[in-house]
């Protein structure tokens, strides 16, 4: 048999072998192109001015009883299998009108609220009400009963951040509705803020054994004052400006076990250096204006806008006016497993070469809707 004939015979035998492996629902590892799989998440910017009129319209035409949570989801155009901001995180906008109650439920996904506008609304978690103001970061730990109510005079809008996609991948996504609209209020309003809001001072008689923070509401007034005080004494991070993490006051760990949350103050005119790290990150502009360069493209943002930086994407920020960015990422999950990596850009003085500007992408067809 000639070499070419042996090659043809060998190829046919391999084809038969691969087919036999497929028939038992297997694959040959050496046929794959390596284990690194490219994330479908693309850098994207959602403008609040586009969403707000639709939120107001939703409040007019969608009864809270029908929606339960009157929410518009920010859908990353790179992810066509579902509606989510990144591979592991949701970024949604929720509106609640005066007098309404978004009924109580619980789920294994963790959630956070970052208040955008309005006053007089509350989130109630396991029997404790916490009243919310713009810039406040409010936690809703997993499997806690929670409802929202608006006792104010105007509509209340906030950003919802959830780890639903991560929990779904782990096949641990459970949900339960409470038997009534509201879970019974059994604690004084904002009790956790009075017990744990002093930071390094811990009440000795209170026991908290959960891995999430016992503090429900991290008030923006306190956060901003801390950022300003730090900015008077320190330059901060070359990549994130004067930046603080919202932590569990008992353990020093993340406020929520699956989502690390931060607030960063960027001085007017400050241009940070570029870096990249594992873990997708959602940014929300609490105040200010500027631009971020993500993967070589310029993203112009203003107050109340939201944008996503995919995992391992170069990014840097340039504030036009003094700005405060809130951010959350899945790095809280990556850190304990040794999967967090970070790298600074060394070339070009630590700045990316600009290759263009962000433009909105066409709406893709999606195969399913988020639950």
């Amino acid at each position: 048999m000639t070499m070419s004939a042996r090659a043809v015979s060998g190829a046919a035998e391999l084809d038969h072998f691969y087919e036999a492996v497929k028939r038992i629902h297997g694959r040959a590892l050496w046929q794959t192109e390596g284990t690194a799989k490219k994330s479908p998440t693309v850098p994207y910017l959602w403008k609040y001015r586009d969403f707000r009129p639709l939120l107001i319209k939703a409040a007019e035409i969608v009864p809270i009883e029908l929606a339960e949570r009157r929410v518009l989801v920010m859908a990353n155009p790179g992810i066509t299998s579902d509606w989510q901001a990144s591979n592991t995180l949701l970024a949604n906008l929720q509106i609640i009108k005066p007098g309404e109650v978004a009924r109580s439920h619980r789920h294994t996904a963790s959630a956070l609220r970052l208040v955008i506008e309005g006053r007089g609304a509350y989130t109630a978690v396991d029997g404790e009400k916490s009243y919310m103001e713009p810039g406040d970061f409010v936690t809703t730990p997993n499997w806690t009963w929670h409802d929202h109510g608006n006792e104010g005079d105007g509509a209340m809008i906030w950003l919802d951040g959830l780890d639903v996609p991560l929990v779904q991948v782990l096949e641990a996504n459970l949900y339960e509705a409470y038997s009534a609209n509201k879970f019974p209020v059994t604690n004084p309003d904002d009790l956790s803020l009075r017990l744990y809001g002093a930071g390094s001072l811990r009440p000795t008689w209170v026991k908290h054994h959960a891995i999430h923070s016992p503090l429900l509401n991290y008030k923006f007034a306190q956060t901003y004052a801390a950022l300003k005080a730090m900015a008077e004494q320190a330059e901060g991070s070359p990549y994130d400006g004067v930046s603080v993490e919202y932590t569990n006051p008992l353990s020093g760990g993340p406020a929520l076990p699956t989502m690390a949350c931060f607030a960063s103050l960027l001085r007017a005119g400050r241009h940070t250096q570029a870096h990249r790290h594992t873990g997708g990150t959602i940014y929300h502009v609490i105040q200010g204006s500027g631009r971020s360069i993500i993967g070589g493209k310029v993203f112009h943002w203003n107050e109340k806008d939201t944008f996503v930086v995919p995992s391992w994407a170069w990014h840097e920020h340039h504030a036009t006016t003094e700005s405060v960015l809130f951010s959350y990422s899945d790095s809280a999950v990556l850190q304990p497993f040794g999967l967090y990596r970070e790298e600074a850009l060394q070339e070009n003085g630590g700045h990316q070469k600009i290759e263009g500007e962000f433009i909105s992408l066409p709406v893709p067809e999606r195969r399913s809707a988020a639950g």
Side-chain angles (χ1 to χ4, degrees), residues 57-295:
K57 185 65 175 178
E60 293 174 358
I61 65 175
V62 181
I64 194 70
E65 296 79 13
L66 172 64
E68 185 173 325
R69 298 290 190 269
R70 197 184 287 111
V71 165
L72 295 182
V73 178
M74 299 183 195
N76 192 297
I79 303 174
T80 58
S81 60
D82 217 328
W83 297 341
Q84 55 201 65
S86 77
N87 255 3
T88 57
L89 299 170
L90 298 184
N92 307 333
L93 293 173
Q94 182 168 174
I95 185 169
I96 184 169
K97 296 192 299 185
E100 289 185 332
V101 173
R103 65 171 297 144
S104 186
H105 65 208
R106 64 180 179 178
H107 37 68
T108 45
S110 295
L112 61 87
R113 327 286 166 195
L114 195 286
V115 182
I116 298 176
E117 63 174 273
R119 281 177 169 80
Y122 65 83
T123 286
V125 178
D126 276 350
E128 178 188 332
K129 280 184 179 180
S130 185
Y131 287 88
M132 306 184 292
E133 299 174 303
D136 287 357
F137 160 57
V138 180
T139 65
T140 308
N142 73 329
W143 211 240
T144 55
W145 294 110
H146 58 281
D147 52 79
H148 314 290
N150 189 346
E151 299 173 359
D153 299 324
M156 191 90 168
I157 300 174
W158 60 79
L159 171 75
D160 284 328
L162 298 99
D163 58 3
V164 170
L166 173 65
V167 177
Q168 285 177 331
V169 166
L170 297 173
E171 299 183 349
N173 197 20
L174 304 176
Y175 168 90
E176 183 179 359
Y178 191 63
S179 56
N181 272 2
K182 296 183 179 182
F183 188 81
V185 175
T186 54
N187 291 319
D189 297 346
D190 284 311
L191 175 62
S192 67
L193 185 61
R194 279 171 273 174
L195 289 175
Y196 300 103
S200 58
L201 301 177
R202 172 180 178 176
T204 59
W205 69 94
V206 181
K207 304 302 180 185
H208 178 83
H209 301 293
I211 59 174
H212 60 75
S213 172
L215 182 58
L216 297 181
N217 193 334
Y218 295 75
K219 305 298 290 183
F220 179 65
Q222 184 176 351
T223 302
Y224 184 62
L227 289 170
K228 292 290 284 185
M230 292 177 188
E232 292 176 359
Q233 303 296 328
E235 278 298 304
S237 162
Y239 315 109
D240 300 303
V242 179
S243 187
V244 295
E245 182 178 358
Y246 296 95
T247 61
N248 181 330
L250 300 184
S251 68
L256 293 165
T258 53
M259 292 186 284
C261 304
F262 306 87
S264 302
L265 185 148
L266 303 174
R267 298 177 180 88
R270 174 68 186 274
H271 191 162
T272 69
Q273 296 179 34
H275 72 152
R276 61 182 178 180
H277 50 73
T278 51
T281 305
I282 311 294
Y283 286 89
H284 178 78
V285 185
I286 296 179
Q287 62 184 47
S289 61
R291 64 179 191 162
S292 293
I293 304 167
I294 310 169

Side-chain angles (χ1 to χ4, degrees), residues 293-334:
I293 304 167
I294 310 169
K297 291 188 177 180
V298 179
F299 292 70
H300 293 277
W301 40 260
N302 293 291
E303 189 171 297
K304 301 180 174 65
D305 291 345
T306 304
F307 59 98
V308 58
V309 175
S311 180
W312 208 241
W314 294 111
H315 57 284
E316 57 194 279
H317 311 295
H318 187 187
T320 305
T321 62
E322 182 190 82
S323 302
V324 179
L325 303 181
F326 171 81
S327 63
Y328 59 102
S329 79
D330 53 18
S331 62
V333 176
L334 302 180

Side-chain angles (χ1 to χ4, degrees), residues 4-61:
S4 59
R6 280 199 296 270
V8 170
S9 175
E13 187 176 12
L14 270 175
D15 288 341
H16 287 306
F17 172 77
Y18 292 142
E19 286 301 317
V21 173
K22 286 181 182 180
R23 282 195 293 273
I24 61 169
H25 295 283
R27 291 293 185 274
L29 179 62
W30 59 87
Q31 284 189 298
T32 66
E33 297 179 0
T35 57
K37 191 175 182 181
K38 182 174 173 56
S39 168
T41 305
V42 297
Y44 210 74
L45 170 69
W46 294 274
K47 303 295 289 185
Y48 186 65
R49 65 169 183 250
D50 296 333
F51 273 82
R52 191 181 187 279
L54 297 173
L55 286 165
I56 299 300
K57 185 65 175 178
E60 293 174 358
I61 65 175

